[in-house]
Amino acid sequence: METKLSLITRRSSEDRKCKFNNLMHLINEDSLRKCFYKLKKNKAPGFDNVTIEMYEQNLEGNVAELMTRMKKMSYRPTAVKRVYIPKDNGKKRPLGIPILEDKLVQMAFTLILEAIYEVNFVDFSYGFRRGRNCHQALKRVDEAIMFNPVNWVVDVDIKGFFDNVNHEKLKQCLELRISDRKFIRYIVRFLKSGIMESGKYYETDKGTPQGGVVSPVLANIYLHYLLDVWFMRDLKPKLTGYVELVRYVDDFVICVEKQQEAHQVLEMIKERFKRAELELSMEKTRIVRFGRGVGGKGNDKPGTFNFLGFTHYCTKSRKGNFKVERKTERKRFARGIRKVKNWLKYNRNRLEIKEIWKMMRWMLTGHYSYYGISGNFVYINHFYDEVKRVLYDWLNRRSQKRSFNWESFHKYLKTYPLPKPRIYHSLYNFPAK
């Protein structure tokens, strides 16, 4: 399969108008077995409660039976199990959990779609792409503002993008490069597989599969045609000043030179998305005064904007030169501390201290590995201090007798240290492209 996918990628790169047919033959028992081992472990099962370990016990038989159904076109994806997780604003975010078999088939389709489209995606798109990540997107924004005449940033938020993708328009996007009807039919089946919530089935007439392996690549394909190609071919040529788009899946910002054109860009995007039956969240979508040419008084004072969990702001270097800096977004910081508190509240009396310490190390390292970026040391150090404080408070609630005072707690920290904050990502040492 890898060799055939490489040939598809080469053909897609050489001829961007080429349509691919007979793709279903790439999905066979051997390729499905390989896809099975690409699935992430330790994920919650769907409502059939089948885990990776259970499916693997009879992997050969399960894959053979699945392949038989797929050849007969009798395989139909099962409805996604819907659960809810809390959001920062007190509301709850819906989360979908497909059954394992559907994840397996979606992985096979994902690899084929990536082989076709990856070489055609634009260089300012970073989300869920091999060899690209959010820190490169942050670097791209930094370079756009630091080295170009940017005075305004259009910060755009799409309201419920994954839940509102138009199925027919997405199908039309796929048909620009794929003419295999069976392949398209299966993707449509995934889109319309439905949701199970509290034992009740709900149809899905829009949106991509919640929690689905194939959802990120479908989102990238849709936004590639809806936004990226349109931006380069239709929007950008109409402007006289500098403009650059940086996108991470459905999260994107546009750096603009002229104020009038910043408003023009936002209006054109609103109209473009309206035609696609998508709506911008006007509470979160803003035009921000931002850049090298921005003064520091009155209406000319630079603003701030949030992108990928960081608040961007204008400042000056030690030599007095303009500089863009980033700090952990306030909501993300609070969410991280709340996650630590909730975990300790639930586990403080269930686990031994050495197990609690192991989890705290994991949580801190995970936070540093994302937020440990150039200029943000103060805030990851603040996170470290807050975690220590929370840990001290909750460990002293394990019983009526206090486990530690500050002196004994710090002695314990010296013997069993928690990972100290450090910068994992220097924006000056890796490329944005």
Side-chain angles (χ1 to χ4, degrees), residues 278-317:
L278 289 170
E279 184 181 355
L280 301 187
S281 172
M282 299 317 296
E283 295 178 359
K284 300 179 181 178
T285 298
R286 301 180 305 141
I287 297 176
V288 181
R289 190 84 165 98
F290 199 98
R292 183 182 299 276
V294 181
K297 295 182 179 181
N299 295 331
D300 203 38
K301 185 177 180 180
T304 64
F305 67 93
N306 296 324
F307 184 56
L308 299 180
F310 292 88
T311 297
H312 294 65
Y313 61 96
C314 298
T315 185
K316 291 185 178 181
S317 67

Side-chain angles (χ1 to χ4, degrees), residues 119-142:
V119 290
N120 298 153
F121 288 153
V122 297
D123 66 348
F124 55 73
S125 166
Y126 290 89
F128 296 107
R129 295 180 60 189
R130 294 180 184 179
R132 288 171 167 255
N133 56 53
C134 54
H135 297 101
Q136 290 174 327
L138 291 165
K139 169 72 170 178
R140 183 69 172 260
V141 172
D142 181 84

